[in-house]
Amino acid sequence: MAEPRPVLEMTGVVKEFPGVRALAGVDFRLFPGEIHALIGENGAGKSTLIKVLTGVYPLDGGTVALDGEPAEFTSPLQAQQAGISTVYQEVNLCPNLSVAENIFIGREPTRAGRIQWKRMRKEAAELVDRLGLDIDVAAPLSSYPLAVQQLVAIVRSVGTGDRDAPGSGTKVLVLDEPTSSLDRDEVLELFRLMRQLSRDGVAILFVSHFLDQIYEICDRMTVLRNGALVGEHLVRDLDQVGLIELMIGKALDQLEELHEHQLHSGVGELLVKAEGLGRTGKIAPFDLDIKKGEVLGLAGLLGSGRTELARLLFGADQPDSGTVTIGGKQVSMSAPNDAIGAGVAFCSENRKTEGLVPDLTVRENIILALQAARGWTRPLPVAQRDELVAKYIKALDIRPANPEARVGQLSGGNQQKVLLARWLITQPQLLILDEPTRGIDIGAKTEIQKLVVSLSEDGMSVLYIAAELEEVLRLSHTIGVLRDRKLVARLANGPEITAGTILETIASGAHQ
Amino acid sequence: MTTTPRWRALTRHHLFWPVAVLIALLIVNVPFTPDFFSVKMTDGHLYGSLVSIVLFGSPLILVAVGMTLVIATGGIDLSVGAVVAITGALTCSYISDQTDQNALSVVFLAMGVGLVAAVVCGLWNGFLVARMGIQPIIATLIIMVAGRGVAQLITDGQIITIHSEPYKLIGGGYWLTLPFSIFVVAAVVAVTVLLTRRTALGLLVESVGGNAEASRLVGIRSTRIKIMVYVFCALCAGIAGLMISSNTSAADGNNAGLWIELDAILAVVIGGTALTGGRFSIGGTVVGALVIQTLTTTIYTIGVPTQTNLVFKAAVVIVVCLLQSPKFREKVFGARRSRNLTDPAPAEPVLPAAAAPKPPKTSTEVSR
């Protein structure tokens, strides 16, 4: 069968960072109208490949050809003008501007040098409408949840071409983890849009950790491992087991193993007791008990108040009602310091903005919480510090295993591990994990889940938040169900509890 | 190839470009002042252009070192020039009121009064920024503007001159053949480095400046840290104020430390600390301040007309900042390298054979 000429062809692409060879001669091609998945574990080089393609990073070797013509982009703008649009994992928009402004930023319709605000809003509304989205384009972007902001980023990116026909100027659309913060309906919405665009001849490069989604939407896939190409396959030619084996380079039955662990560990006495804790507009007052060694999972749809509940338990937001008692002592929760002092640790879902300090090294990021608790006058002794850092880099398998590496250069999964290490060295009594597995690969996901099980066996309590119900079911002793910013139920986990039970609870929560 | 790995590692060092500019500026002076690098011993004191640069640059180095920490937290302190004036004014007016201006106790007390005033200014700045949440540029603008007025009030709008030998030592005296100021600066720089790198203060400052929200969630008491750096910065400015007034044996509320805040900010930036906060380098700042002082000296030695010397200074600063920018360097110096990359003939990437990729497994092979 004769294939058309690839719209994009990358040959022998090399990219190096100090001490790391992120891409070691990778070949990659993309055909018009196909949806192509780029797959690999964290640190396999997916994000780097995309950044090289879109001109964020300069090439260190190899060639890129667009429509058969050699091309090298030195800036994202150049790549965009050549027809390569990108939506990154983290939304790169201006939250203080309106949706319409965000969509048209940099290419506002003008007359005599003045922006035609009315026309801009009208066209933005039409664009959003045509794509079947219910968004008020005059509202500031920040008034929408992250999921909608992501959709706006996609709208913006496909709208970059001719204003009258969205996507017409876009030859290649790169979607880097677009679904990681979307719920099922929004994912379907996105897929509908992707299919429509691919029918128009746009080649879509789709990066996702959700294998089911890849099998649902993609035609072809390229698999990377440790910065090298391990294969390009048609999706229908390779089953999921084969794919996972390609990704990690060995057979995987670790998930099964994990399943046996489930619920074996018992729980101890009461550790945390929240009574009537709440914050207006964020979460309705709730009561919550967490016992020693208990994993309490929180289930609920996006925006149901999972994160808000966790933030109150950490003092990240101040509660306006209720009390928290930890280990028998009442804690004021007016600032994170109070919670930290009582042995609570919190890994935010927003690693980059609320977790890591990207300019600092792995070592500095890891010791930050411990050092903050000790105060500035009592620095951690160098020997003890290096030993602790080395221990956790090894235990969590942080790569590169270089304490001097800048955290900003690490892949998402490794950043998550650095964040975990930071809190684990403080030996907390309650560890709050908000979406710890979001945007990271299967291998790291499994490792983190195993870690949660073993921490709980050692007597640490864990508050575990995840969008994937299976994950919550697999790990939790108890499951708290949230709906519409309210804790509506508390289920003891057991064989009779399934994803279906939880979904029913969420649905019936409306009638309470 | 001219770029060996060692050379590359050297050029990547954060102090490379500031030091290179400093050396270049020093060399520029030689054709105009052939004995520029010579240091002579006269009356047991060392004299020479290099010594003068450090001597005259001392107040700037002090102010810039304090400024570095403030900038590292993501802030800025515009009030340092006014603090210089207030400290000098208070100290000199106290000394001038005494009958015995040469008494050591008088001088120490006077300096104490001046420095306490500086600390109070720092506390005020820190309070506005950290507690009240006012933007640093606005919060410190208050003392920048009002502080000069306060200094004028203290001196009654006059230039107060004093005749105190012990006080003269700080800014104009010699010790162990070198200007005493150099020892003061060395001590302050050493204390700052110890304070930031031997304790956890440097790490916490960089964390607060690098990501304020993450720092809050990790339990860093950023309010305290910020107040501390503003106080420290004001204290450095206060010492600089003592030095300047001591050097001239006079307090000039109008002109002492005028525009020093801008030179200090420039020195910090030349030294490689980003105005956005985060990573800072005290060593870089010292080099940056020396670059600015050398530049001032150079302007005089090569005879740039006084009307144009600010323009000349601006031009050099632009060059330094451009050299510091990785983007600019890549455009100018990296041009040859990127031509090589896009050159079609030898485009084969430099790869060990083992790391070469396997061809994609598809129905049709990529034709080579």
Side-chain angles (χ1 to χ4, degrees):
Chain A
M1 145 182 132
E3 287 190 29
R5 187 180 65 176
V7 59
L8 174 80
E9 188 156 17
M10 302 173 84
T11 316
V13 170
V14 177
K15 179 69 207 168
E16 284 171 337
F17 295 113
V20 193
R21 171 164 273 207
L23 291 175
V26 171
D27 293 349
F28 176 75
R29 46 193 201 143
L30 201 54
F31 293 93
E34 75 168 343
I35 300 180
H36 190 124
L38 186 59
I39 308 172
E41 288 194 287
N42 288 310
K46 303 180 303 274
S47 293
T48 312
L49 187 72
I50 289 173
K51 286 185 174 164
V52 166
L53 167 64
T54 55
V56 177
Y57 295 149
L59 274 176
D60 287 341
T63 58
V64 178
L66 190 65
D67 274 338
E69 299 288 321
E72 186 179 347
F73 307 117
T74 52
S75 74
L77 182 66
Q78 247 185 26
Q80 207 178 58
Q81 282 163 348
I84 302 178
S85 295
T86 314
V87 176
Y88 286 109
Q89 194 170 354
E90 273 86 20
V91 178
N92 292 319
L93 296 176
C94 310
N96 52 334
L97 298 183
S98 74
V99 171
E101 282 169 301
N102 270 295
I103 293 175
F104 281 102
I105 209 164
R107 55 201 161 85
E108 299 87 348
T110 54
R111 178 186 292 157
R114 286 191 20 245
I115 295 176
Q116 297 172 285
W117 295 103
K118 248 187 169 164
R119 186 173 150 209
M120 186 170 95
R121 270 201 288 278
K122 191 167 146 265
E123 287 181 5
E126 282 169 9
L127 189 59
V128 165
D129 197 43
R130 184 159 45 221
L131 299 176
L133 302 167
D134 180 23
I135 302 172
D136 174 11
V137 297
L141 187 70
S142 57
S143 64
Y144 287 104
L146 199 65
V148 177
Q149 296 187 15
Q150 177 97 49
L151 290 175
V152 172
I154 293 165
V155 172
R156 169 184 163 70
S157 140
V158 294
T160 50
D162 186 354
R163 259 194 296 279
D164 299 322
S168 62
T170 308
K171 291 174 193 155
V172 175
L173 175 63
V174 180
L175 300 175
D176 187 3
E177 294 278 358
T179 56
S180 57
S181 44
L182 304 193
D183 69 24
R184 186 62 198 158
D185 283 345
E186 287 159 334
V187 169
L188 290 178
E189 196 80 58
L190 171 69
F191 284 180
R192 185 183 56 73
L193 180 60
M194 284 166 67
R195 290 202 184 91
Q196 183 184 325
L197 290 168
S198 85
R199 271 196 302 275
D200 294 344
V202 178
I204 298 177
L205 174 54
F206 180 69
V207 180
S208 175
H209 285 301
F210 300 102
L211 299 187
D212 289 339
Q213 293 180 356
I214 287 165
Y215 278 85
E216 188 176 339
I217 187 91
C218 295
D219 307 314
R220 190 191 295 273
M221 55 193 171
T222 294
V223 185
L224 299 179
R225 188 169 69 232
N226 290 333
L229 177 73
V230 290
E232 186 199 279
H233 300 269
L234 288 172
V235 168
R236 61 169 181 270
D237 290 347
L238 185 68
D239 66 357
Q240 290 210 20
V241 175
L243 172 59
I244 292 171
E245 286 173 0
L246 266 187
M247 281 167 65
I248 63 172
K250 58 177 185 249
L252 183 81
D253 46 19
Q254 291 162 314
L255 277 173
E256 298 305 315
E257 195 185 314
L258 186 67
H259 221 70
E260 290 164 20
H261 261 294
Q262 181 195 44
L263 308 178
H264 279 189
S265 59
V267 297
E269 73 245 39
L270 185 68
L271 176 70
V272 179
K273 187 171 185 62
E275 285 174 301
L277 197 65
R279 181 177 162 92
T280 315
K282 295 287 177 193
I283 184 147
F286 62 89
D287 297 336
L288 196 68
D289 296 342
I290 305 174
K291 298 190 181 67
K292 270 200 181 119
E294 177 177 357
V295 179
L296 174 66
L298 290 186
L301 301 176
L302 208 70
S304 59
R306 301 178 308 214
T307 298
E308 288 77 1
L309 187 154
R311 286 179 67 93
L312 285 191
L313 277 181
F314 185 65
D317 296 325
Q318 279 76 61
D320 50 19
S321 68
T323 57
V324 181
T325 317
I326 298 174
K329 267 187 236 147
Q330 190 166 331
V331 182
S332 82
M333 288 295 168
S334 57
N337 278 322
D338 301 322
I340 293 167
V344 185
F346 173 62
C347 293
S348 164
E349 61 176 334
N350 301 313
R351 286 193 288 272
K352 286 234 169 97
T353 53
E354 294 177 359
L356 299 162
V357 186
D359 262 351
L360 297 185
T361 62
V362 168
R363 175 193 293 132
E364 289 169 324
N365 268 287
I366 288 180
I367 64 162
L368 205 51
L370 189 57
Q371 189 59 64
R374 291 172 67 100
W376 68 274
T377 49
R378 290 169 55 225
L380 214 54
V382 174
Q384 191 191 343
R385 178 195 75 185
D386 289 349
E387 190 194 317
L388 269 175
V389 169
K391 182 175 142 198
Y392 278 92
I393 285 180
K394 188 154 175 269
L396 298 181
D397 192 20
I398 294 170
R399 282 182 236 172
N402 173 10
E404 299 287 340
R406 272 188 55 234
V407 154
Q409 286 181 348
L410 265 56
S411 69
N414 284 306
Q415 290 183 343
Q416 184 65 54
K417 288 179 186 172
V418 168
L419 203 51
L420 270 169
R422 170 193 290 176
W423 287 113
L424 291 182
I425 67 171
T426 66
Q427 300 180 322
Q429 298 194 68
L430 170 65
L431 178 63
I432 303 175
L433 298 175
D434 192 358
E435 298 278 10
T437 57
R438 175 197 284 178
I440 68 177
D441 64 75
I442 274 210
K445 236 177 209 176
T446 312
E447 282 173 43
I448 285 175
Q449 292 177 25
K450 278 176 139 174
L451 183 72
V452 169
V453 171
S454 78
L455 288 173
S456 127
E457 278 170 354
D458 294 342
M460 193 185 290
S461 310
V462 180
L463 183 67
Y464 193 92
I465 303 177
E468 283 182 61
L469 289 181
E470 286 72 20
E471 235 174 81
V472 174
L473 277 170
R474 195 180 298 135
L475 295 172
S476 313
H477 296 94
T478 317
I479 299 171
V481 182
L482 289 118
R483 185 199 152 89
D484 296 339
R485 301 186 181 270
K486 218 171 168 181
L487 185 63
V488 292
R490 209 186 133 89
L491 312 169
N493 200 1
E496 74 284 357
I497 303 284
T498 62
T501 332
I502 295 177
L503 286 173
E504 267 168 39
T505 313
I506 292 174
S508 65
H511 308 301
Q512 288 187 352
Chain B
M1 290 298 269
T2 49
T3 53
T4 61
R6 187 177 277 186
W7 172 249
R8 263 192 151 184
L10 185 68
T11 58
R12 275 196 186 148
H13 191 274
H14 70 275
L15 284 182
F16 177 81
W17 290 104
V19 170
V21 168
L22 180 59
I23 293 171
L25 266 179
L26 289 172
I27 290 172
V28 164
N29 280 282
V30 175
F32 299 91
T33 320
D35 60 346
F36 187 77
F37 284 105
S38 71
V39 176
K40 290 187 206 82
M41 182 77 100
T42 315
D43 299 336
H45 297 164
L46 288 175
Y47 286 104
S49 304
L50 294 182
V51 178
S52 312
I53 287 174
V54 183
L55 173 60
F56 295 132
S58 293
L60 178 60
I61 296 175
L62 286 178
V63 172
V65 162
M67 185 73 78
T68 307
L69 294 188
V70 169
I71 287 181
T73 62
I76 201 151
D77 189 348
L78 296 182
S79 71
V80 285
V83 172
V84 163
I86 292 176
T87 313
L90 265 180
T91 309
C92 288
S93 70
Y94 183 87
I95 292 178
S96 73
D97 285 348
Q98 308 302 313
T99 44
D100 181 9
Q101 297 195 2
N102 285 326
L104 269 183
S105 58
V106 166
V107 171
F108 277 119
L109 202 60
M111 293 193 327
V113 169
L115 292 181
V116 166
V119 167
V120 170
C121 290
L123 277 171
W124 172 252
N125 285 335
F127 170 76
L128 289 184
V129 172
R131 282 245 169 250
M132 298 289 111
I134 298 177
Q135 297 218 340
I137 199 164
I138 300 300
T140 58
L141 195 61
I142 296 171
I143 292 187
M144 178 188 180
V145 176
R148 292 253 164 227
V150 172
Q152 302 264 23
L153 280 178
I154 294 168
T155 62
D156 278 335
Q158 308 292 316
I159 295 176
I160 298 178
T161 48
I162 53 167
H163 306 281
S164 169
E165 278 311 311
Y167 188 58
K168 181 83 187 161
L169 178 71
I170 308 173
Y174 280 77
W175 189 52
L176 300 176
T177 76
L178 282 171
F180 189 74
S181 309
I182 293 180
F183 293 100
V184 176
V185 166
V188 170
V189 169
V191 165
T192 312
V193 170
L194 285 180
L195 197 64
T196 52
R197 297 305 179 195
R198 290 287 145 175
T199 71
L201 186 63
L203 172 65
L204 300 188
V205 162
E206 286 175 338
S207 173
V208 168
N211 189 341
E213 178 61 7
S215 301
R216 185 179 81 91
L217 291 180
V218 89
I220 295 173
R221 292 164 207 268
S222 54
T223 310
R224 273 191 213 174
I225 301 242
K226 280 186 181 169
I227 292 178
M228 221 149 70
V229 296
Y230 280 95
V231 168
F232 182 76
C233 181
L235 189 62
C236 287
I239 299 172
L242 296 181
M243 220 173 245
I244 290 171
S245 63
S246 150
N247 189 273
T248 54
S249 282
D252 180 350
N254 238 341
N255 293 311
L258 194 62
W259 307 132
I260 201 172
E261 58 278 343
L262 301 184
D263 276 349
I265 293 167
L266 215 52
V268 173
V269 171
I270 290 174
T273 302
L275 282 178
T276 45
R279 281 261 176 242
F280 67 87
S281 159
I282 298 289
T285 295
V286 172
V287 174
L290 288 174
V291 165
I292 289 176
Q293 189 56 46
T294 309
L295 184 56
T296 311
T297 308
T298 309
I299 286 171
Y300 293 125
T301 52
I302 69 177
V304 176
T306 30
Q307 312 89 287
T308 55
N309 71 18
L310 285 179
V311 176
F312 180 82
K313 200 169 172 181
V316 175
V317 167
I318 291 172
V319 170
V320 177
C321 291
L322 284 177
L323 278 175
Q324 293 253 60
S325 148
K327 237 183 189 164
F328 176 82
R329 286 209 304 269
E330 199 171 300
K331 279 228 167 83
V332 176
F333 305 115
R336 224 177 49 116
R337 211 184 103 238
S338 61
R339 260 207 304 279
N340 281 347
L341 278 183
T342 46
D343 195 6
E348 212 53 52
V350 198
L351 264 180
K358 293 168 207 154
K361 298 173 201 162
T362 41
S363 44
T364 51
E365 291 291 328
V366 183
S367 59
R368 287 228 168 210

